[in-house]
Amino acid sequence: IEDFFQCFLISLQGATSITTFVVFLCDKIEPALRQAVFERTAKDIAEDMKSKLPDFRGNRANLEVCILRYLAEQENFAYFKQYLRSPKQFFQSYIKRRVKSHCLDGNRRLGMVLHSSLESLYENILSAVSLSTRIVKDREDREDKISLWLDEFCRELAEVINLPRSDLKAIEHQEVTDIEFLSSAMAKALIDLTDRLMKELADADMSSFSRQPHTILAEHFSGCWEQCPFCGAVCTNTMRDHDGDHQPVFHRPEALKFYTHELVTATCSNRVASNCEFSTGDHQWIPYKTYRKAGPPYSTWNILPDSSMQAYWKWFVSRFRTELEAFCNGKFQGSGVIPEAWQRITKQEALSELDRLQATSMGRKNRSGFAV
């Protein structure tokens, strides 16, 4: 009888030690798992959008074309103003809008991706428990089996969740001898933990992320943000400090950068094909044809001579003439009179031009990261 009670007490002490161990470890796992779920979900959403949405399947030039298409489709001058004034900020807000639409549509995509991330991470942790148990249970040469179990457990999860081994020192000397019992206790506790988090995630929204999916996408497509000194068009190179010249999707009417009394409809591409001159601000006049002689920032841009202009900007200037004149505090008059032919260009023609341009930007790329 005495032997029976002694064994019972030892068993009870062991069970108590395992309970203490499991509760402590799960309390450490829970916040780390929650954080890992949102981090993985944010990355998965970004990757999903890059594979499924045309906006994000190509390079920066392709995304720029998609933004121009969005602006035309919305036909809201307030959006155009934001884009012209702060292209980088508009770019970021556009991506944020697209992410929100993608995640919070009628398919409840956000909830499904969160649950998928949690289930995957749960399997990772359960696998780590099983592997650590297999490695440690027959190690007769080690008395500190729990410490060894924790070493293996944290090592296995190192690339999955942020669970520092140093945070678990308080339980590494627990008197636990039945490693397999510990494994089954952990498996049960992990089910309860996962169930709690699953219910919690049901109320999650985009504000729940510490690092937003749209931030990941914006960083991926960031690159260069230099603007043409003549017309304000944004360089779409995928590298911030890239080699070679800056180059946009296409140049714009100079009126969109220089707000003068007489607004200019010509682009810098038109100008370098003409005999016009420009002032560098120090009363020095330089022919557009030799604009590189003006030095930086002019000399860092690739502006090819082109006497034509894209239908998109012709449509835009004609469609929003009144708003542009108020915005730029000038008039399209004199040499800046809007040709009558521009006024006949339809929005659909402007959009069709973007479709052709997008087909190009999704094609081959040259060494500078531009579509060719």
Side-chain angles (χ1 to χ4, degrees):
I1 295 177
E2 289 180 3
D3 289 342
F4 171 79
F5 278 113
Q6 188 173 10
C7 290
F8 175 76
L9 289 173
I10 293 173
S11 175
L12 192 61
Q13 289 171 353
T16 302
S17 295
I18 288 176
T19 300
T20 301
F21 180 95
V22 169
V23 169
F24 183 93
L25 183 54
C26 285
D27 284 346
K28 293 293 183 181
I29 290 174
E30 184 167 351
L33 176 56
R34 183 184 293 107
Q35 179 182 348
V37 166
F38 283 107
E39 288 178 353
R40 177 172 293 195
T41 298
K43 292 177 183 177
D44 287 348
I45 288 172
E47 289 302 318
D48 186 55
M49 293 183 69
K50 283 193 287 183
S51 67
K52 293 180 179 177
L53 274 63
D55 308 46
F56 307 109
R57 277 207 296 261
N59 55 14
R60 260 284 300 283
N62 172 69
L63 180 54
E64 180 79 5
V65 171
C66 291
I67 289 176
L68 291 174
R69 166 176 279 280
Y70 169 80
L71 288 168
E73 289 174 340
Q74 294 299 308
E75 211 166 336
N76 184 330
F77 186 70
Y79 289 170
F80 273 105
K81 279 201 303 184
Q82 294 170 20
Y83 169 75
L84 294 172
R85 281 177 170 171
S86 306
K88 184 176 182 179
Q89 285 70 28
F90 188 86
F91 165 92
Q92 292 171 337
S93 66
Y94 175 80
I95 291 178
K96 184 176 182 179
R97 188 182 298 114
R98 296 290 282 139
V99 169
K100 184 176 180 180
S101 174
H102 183 73
C103 292
L104 303 180
D105 63 3
N107 294 324
R108 299 177 61 191
R109 187 176 282 106
L110 175 60
M112 290 190 293
V113 181
L114 282 168
H115 286 177
S116 176
S117 296
L118 177 57
E119 289 173 356
S120 178
L121 287 164
Y122 162 73
E123 292 296 336
N124 289 145
I125 299 172
L126 198 61
S127 175
V129 169
S130 178
L131 179 64
S132 302
T133 300
R134 288 202 307 273
I135 292 174
V136 172
K137 68 176 183 177
D138 297 324
R139 287 291 298 270
E140 300 297 338
D141 59 317
R142 294 285 295 265
E143 294 183 0
D144 56 338
K145 286 187 177 182
I146 286 298
S147 180
L148 179 60
W149 190 95
L150 289 170
D151 290 343
E152 297 295 337
F153 181 73
C154 291
R155 186 181 299 114
E156 186 68 15
L157 292 177
E159 296 183 6
V160 178
I161 66 173
N162 182 25
L163 187 66
R165 174 66 176 86
S166 58
D167 290 352
L168 308 179
K169 287 186 175 298
I171 55 170
E172 65 182 10
H173 299 300
Q174 285 287 321
E175 295 184 5
V176 176
T177 56
D178 193 339
I179 299 298
E180 290 188 340
F181 181 40
L182 167 63
S183 180
S184 63
M186 277 296 301
K188 182 180 183 304
L190 286 172
I191 292 174
D192 296 338
L193 170 56
T194 306
D195 287 344
R196 286 200 308 276
L197 287 179
M198 196 73 77
K199 293 176 182 177
E200 179 184 316
L201 293 177
D203 298 323
D205 55 27
M206 300 310 295
S207 66
S208 303
F209 292 86
S210 58
R211 186 165 186 252
Q212 295 281 343
H214 67 79
T215 301
I216 297 173
L217 277 174
E219 289 173 353
H220 177 78
F221 286 100
S222 184
C224 183
W225 288 103
E226 291 296 316
Q227 292 182 257
C228 175
F230 292 115
C231 69
V234 180
C235 176
T236 56
N237 196 290
T238 54
M239 302 295 291
R240 179 177 300 175
D241 299 313
H242 60 86
D243 295 329
D245 294 329
H246 298 300
Q247 184 173 317
V249 172
F250 42 53
H251 290 278
R252 313 165 181 168
E254 290 189 4
L256 304 183
K257 180 172 175 62
F258 293 109
Y259 309 148
T260 57
H261 177 67
E262 189 173 285
L263 298 177
V264 179
T265 56
T267 70
C268 35
S269 297
N270 304 152
R271 299 288 205 181
V272 297
S274 71
N275 294 318
C276 294
E277 296 181 333
F278 68 96
S279 172
T280 59
D282 55 1
H283 305 293
Q284 181 182 9
W285 288 86
I286 296 176
Y288 272 88
K289 288 181 178 178
T290 57
Y291 70 91
R292 290 185 185 271
K293 291 183 178 180
Y298 305 96
S299 59
T300 62
W301 281 80
N302 179 28
I303 305 173
L304 300 175
D306 187 355
S307 58
S308 65
M309 188 192 301
Q310 284 71 29
Y312 185 91
W313 290 115
K314 292 178 181 179
W315 167 81
F316 169 71
V317 169
S318 301
R319 169 65 180 82
F320 293 105
R321 172 179 180 166
T322 303
E323 293 89 341
L324 279 168
E325 289 180 335
F327 174 57
C328 302
N329 194 27
K331 293 287 184 181
F332 287 103
Q333 59 187 11
S335 61
V337 168
I338 299 173
E340 185 179 340
W342 290 20
Q343 301 173 40
R344 294 193 293 270
I345 296 173
T346 65
K347 182 169 76 170
Q348 186 53 52
E349 288 175 316
L351 292 174
S352 295
E353 178 183 71
L354 293 181
D355 288 340
R356 293 191 295 273
L357 196 61
Q358 187 173 31
T360 301
S361 70
M362 293 288 282
R364 296 179 297 113
K365 302 173 188 176
N366 64 20
R367 291 181 181 178
S368 298
F370 298 107
V372 295

